[in-house]
Amino acid sequence: KQWYQRRVRGTHDSVNFICDNPDIRAISFVGSNAAGHHIYERGSKNGKRVQANLAAKNHGVVMPDANKENTLNQLCGAAFGAAGQRCMALSVAVMVGEARNWIPELVERAKKLKVTAGNLPGADLGPVISPESKARIERLIQSGLDQGAEVPLDGRTVQVPGYEAGNFVGPTIMNKVTPDMECYKEEIFGPVLNVIEAETMDEAIAILNENPYGNGCAIFTNSGAAARKFTNEVDVGQIGVNVPIPVPLPMFSFTGSRGSFLGDSNFYGKAGLNFYSQWKTVTTLWKEEDAKTATAEVAMPRMQ
């Protein structure tokens, strides 16, 4: 069979056309919860295969025995790279025990990132995708302040010379965040890192498992025992050990889970191939001689 690719622009009508058209047999989606649930439900009702990657809230658990400099670099890169607008951005740091003392250094490191137009040399962060996106990010930062979070680094005031009307939000770190805050419950999808403090790794694991999303997470530690405990007990589909953005190579599947995924076959890897395949089973029997009787057998066919 031949495969065709066509780019279609549009909103509700275009989406519903894809969900309803009988010539389209499978739908693969990445995006927001509302759109993903609609596509999954409507496409499935029409007998289509649907896989939908939805929202995420990716956590990085920082143990006090981790390599500090490397961990701080990894947190900044994973939280603020691509202006935080990627599904595997690390948007929550859970600082365990004495690791909380690293927060001031994390703030200083994030301050050094350069915010400017993405096509200019030395840019670390470009603008977010739209004025609406910028307004939503800034609203969620303010909601955290209103609910008791601290903001030792506020990127809402960033100014980029020559691009004063641009959709820029600088690196933002929100400390003393708790799971009941809107800024934690919502996927901010911007250069904002929520910081939560935990006394023990058990408490940190409980925080991750109580969050409805299961796209990705990471632990930073030098303890093999801690890494094994974390990977066994955390209920998240993609886990990094000292790897902040644990996106697998294409031969493995993108295994987001729980509230971050709808469907039964994940993206790429073997599961992705199965999603786009229709299995066919062929059973054959070749006999050297013709049957010796004229009596038909009504039981299941046998190899004899």
Side-chain angles (χ1 to χ4, degrees):
K1 290 185 178 180
Q2 292 181 315
W3 293 81
Y4 297 93
Q5 182 182 52
R6 176 175 293 178
R7 182 172 297 176
V8 179
R9 299 177 64 87
T11 54
H12 300 85
D13 291 340
S14 299
V15 167
N16 290 336
F17 170 82
I18 292 171
C19 291
D20 297 342
N21 190 299
D23 292 330
I24 297 174
R25 300 173 61 187
I27 303 171
S28 185
F29 171 82
V30 179
S32 69
N33 273 7
H37 279 270
H38 172 79
I39 291 168
Y40 182 79
E41 292 169 6
R42 186 157 180 157
S44 297
K45 286 179 180 178
N46 286 318
K48 302 178 189 297
R49 291 182 183 177
V50 184
Q51 55 180 197
N53 262 23
L54 309 175
K57 200 74 175 180
N58 305 315
H59 296 64
V61 173
V62 181
M63 301 299 293
D65 70 332
N67 294 328
K68 183 172 73 171
E69 299 303 320
N70 180 65
T71 298
L72 295 178
N73 288 338
Q74 299 273 43
L75 288 176
C76 283
F80 306 126
Q85 297 203 302
R86 52 188 172 189
C87 66
M88 288 298 289
L90 198 67
S91 55
V92 183
V94 183
M95 313 299 281
V96 178
E98 295 303 311
R100 64 169 59 91
N101 297 330
W102 303 355
I103 295 173
E105 293 175 76
L106 177 64
V107 171
E108 291 304 312
R109 198 150 307 191
K111 285 181 180 178
K112 297 176 182 178
L113 296 174
K114 183 176 181 180
V115 183
T116 187
N119 63 327
L120 296 182
D124 293 311
L125 283 79
V128 297
I129 59 173
S130 66
E132 292 78 12
S133 177
K134 178 181 178 181
R136 182 178 182 275
I137 292 166
E138 293 180 341
R139 178 184 65 77
L140 287 167
I141 295 170
Q142 186 60 47
S143 77
L145 276 169
D146 295 342
Q147 292 181 308
E150 300 175 356
V151 184
L153 181 60
D154 191 340
R156 293 177 293 176
T157 59
V158 69
Q159 291 291 321
V160 178
Y163 299 92
E164 287 77 12
N167 304 317
F168 292 96
V169 180
T172 300
I173 294 177
M174 305 182 71
N175 193 21
K176 305 295 184 183
V177 172
T178 57
D180 61 323
M181 293 181 180
E182 184 184 12
C183 65
Y184 174 80
K185 292 189 288 186
E186 291 286 330
E187 182 183 29
I188 299 177
F189 211 65
V192 181
L193 179 65
N194 292 336
V195 179
I196 296 178
E197 298 178 8
E199 293 299 324
T200 65
M201 189 168 79
D202 285 330
E203 182 183 347
I205 291 172
I207 290 170
L208 270 68
N209 288 342
E210 288 169 7
N211 187 277
Y213 299 115
N215 208 34
C217 67
I219 184 171
F220 300 93
T221 182
N222 274 313
S223 167
R228 176 62 63 88
K229 175 182 173 67
F230 182 80
T231 57
N232 284 343
E233 296 184 11
V234 74
D235 188 10
V236 176
Q238 299 174 110
I239 304 170
V241 177
N242 299 315
V243 176
I245 302 180
V247 176
L249 293 171
M251 67 282 291
F252 302 103
S253 292
F254 191 99
T255 52
S257 62
R258 293 197 288 146
S260 295
F261 182 75
L262 289 173
D264 60 356
S265 292
N266 293 101
F267 292 12
Y268 54 79
K270 184 180 291 185
L273 290 174
N274 288 341
F275 179 80
Y276 287 108
S277 300
Q278 177 64 56
W279 289 97
K280 180 184 289 186
T281 303
V282 179
T283 304
T284 64
L285 172 63
W286 302 92
K287 288 192 174 185
E288 185 176 352
E289 298 179 354
D290 200 357
K292 292 183 171 33
T293 68
T295 303
E297 293 190 18
V298 295
M300 289 290 291
R302 294 173 293 169
M303 299 293 292
Q304 64 176 24

